[in-house]
């Protein structure tokens, strides 16, 4: 028997979800200290982080932020959060970003918003990488969410076939009936696996394919995960 939500129940679920994103995003600001260079992630959870960070900056917090997307850069600039590029920094103290799925070992799938390459470059370079999520993103084993993979536009059809041979359905991402183009002028292939047995191995295999820029699998990169739980949060540290 199928369970159907009433409109009211559905809106309560959505609101709760948004509240959890907000709780996680706002809590993450506690980890940003005066003088830090901060990698700013992308997405609807990071939105809440940026709002609160903007407030702290207006109250006198001194930070430099490097955004993972043009969208985030605009949001931050509107709040007068100081923005820098890689030309102006030699380290990133902390990077904070959302995720589409997080497993018990804090391996994650990212890229639902198509920002995975810049996000990975910044997360890898940061001394500390924190992900912020609502409870729905937690999972025993990665694979509930499709896996975004950024590829070069040239020959994407061939790249897609090689990825499909690894055991998934591949869909070229579209937005408003047009091909979605990333901030790096590349395409995104959304890959639907029934199950991901070994995420690290899969990441390596996909990255070996010519034409792949990078995958949304962030393996062994997360130091800490902040999970929104209603208006509270739980902090999960890497074991
Ligand atoms: O490309 C987008 C990013 O990886 C996002 O951080 C991820 O999709 C999570 O986004 P949201 O917080 O909107 O669910």
């Amino acid at each position: 028997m199928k369970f159907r939500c009433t409109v009211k129940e559905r809106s309560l679920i959505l609101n709760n979800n948004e509240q959890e994103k907000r709780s996680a995003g706002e809590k993450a600001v506690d980890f940003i200290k005066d003088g830090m260079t901060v990698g700013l992630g992308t997405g609807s959870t990071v939105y809440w982080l940026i709002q609160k960070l903007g407030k702290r900056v207006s109250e006198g917090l001194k930070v430099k932020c490097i955004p993972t997307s043009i969208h985030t850069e605009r949001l931050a600039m509107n709040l007068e959060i100081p923005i820098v590029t890689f030309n102006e920094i030699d380290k990133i103290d902390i990077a904070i970003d959302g995720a589409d799925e997080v497993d018990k070992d804090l391996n994650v799938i990212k890229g639902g918003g198509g920002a995975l390459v810049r996000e990975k470059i910044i997360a890898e370079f940061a001394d500390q990488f924190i992900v912020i999520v609502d409870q729905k993103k937690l999972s025993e084993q990665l694979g509930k969410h499709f896996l975004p993979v950024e590829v070069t536009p040239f020959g994407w059809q061939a790249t897609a076939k090689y990825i499909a041979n690894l055991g998934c359905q591949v869909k070229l991402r579209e937005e408003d009936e047009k091909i979605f183009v990333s901030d790096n002028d590349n395409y995104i292939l959304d890959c639907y696996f029934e199950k991901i047995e070994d995420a690290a191995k899969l990441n390596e295999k996909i990255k070996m394919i010519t034409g792949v820029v990078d995958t949304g699998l962030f393996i062994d990169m997360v130091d800490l995960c902040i999970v929104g739980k209603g208006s509270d949060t739980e902090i999960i540290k890497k074991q």
Side-chain angles (χ1 to χ4, degrees), residues 1 58 64 66 86 102 119 121-122 126 156-157 160 169 175 182 200:
M1 194 177 78
S58 74
K64 289 186 246 172
I66 180 153
F86 269 105
V102 183
E119 290 177 335
I121 291 170
I122 287 178
W156 71 264
Q157 301 88 337
Q169 302 250 10
E175 194 177 55
S182 77

Side-chain angles (χ1 to χ4, degrees), residues 36-42 46 49-50 53 63-70 72-73 76 81-97 118-119 121-123 125-126:
M36 278 186 164
T37 300
V38 183
L40 278 186
T42 296
V46 166
L49 160 79
I50 296 173
L53 182 59
V63 284
K64 289 186 246 172
C65 293
I66 180 153
T68 56
S69 63
I70 294 168
T72 288
E73 182 172 352
I81 296 173
I83 295 296
V84 287
T85 65
F86 269 105
N87 284 331
E88 299 153 90
I89 55 164
D90 51 21
K91 73 181 293 226
I92 298 174
D93 297 291
I94 190 169
I96 305 172
D97 208 338
R118 293 190 186 197
E119 290 177 335
I121 291 170
I122 287 178
F125 194 60

Side-chain angles (χ1 to χ4, degrees), residues 173-186:
R173 189 177 299 183
E174 292 185 2
E175 194 177 55
D176 301 329
E177 293 176 16
K178 290 198 189 102
I179 296 176
F180 175 91
V181 178
S182 77
D183 286 351
N184 314 307
D185 292 330
N186 290 317

Side-chain angles (χ1 to χ4, degrees), residues 21 42-46 97-100 110-116 119 137:
K21 289 181 179 192
T42 296
S44 55
T45 316
V46 166
D97 208 338
D100 299 305
K110 289 183 50 54
L116 64 104
E119 290 177 335
K137 306 276 182 66

Side-chain angles (χ1 to χ4, degrees), residues 16-32 44-50 52-53 96-99 102 130-138 224-236:
N16 191 35
N17 219 19
E18 200 52 37
Q19 173 59 55
E20 293 192 343
K21 289 181 179 192
R22 181 175 186 161
S23 309
E26 293 188 344
K27 178 72 186 167
V29 179
D30 292 352
F31 291 82
I32 302 176
S44 55
T45 316
V46 166
Y47 168 83
W48 294 109
L49 160 79
I50 296 173
K52 185 143 183 213
L53 182 59
I96 305 172
D97 208 338
V102 183
I130 296 180
V131 291
I132 49 180
V133 292
D134 57 273
Q135 291 191 77
K136 269 177 54 185
K137 306 276 182 66
L138 299 179
L224 192 134
C225 176
I226 304 177
V227 187
K229 292 199 159 173
S231 53
D232 212 342
T233 52
E234 184 192 351
I235 293 183
I236 308 171

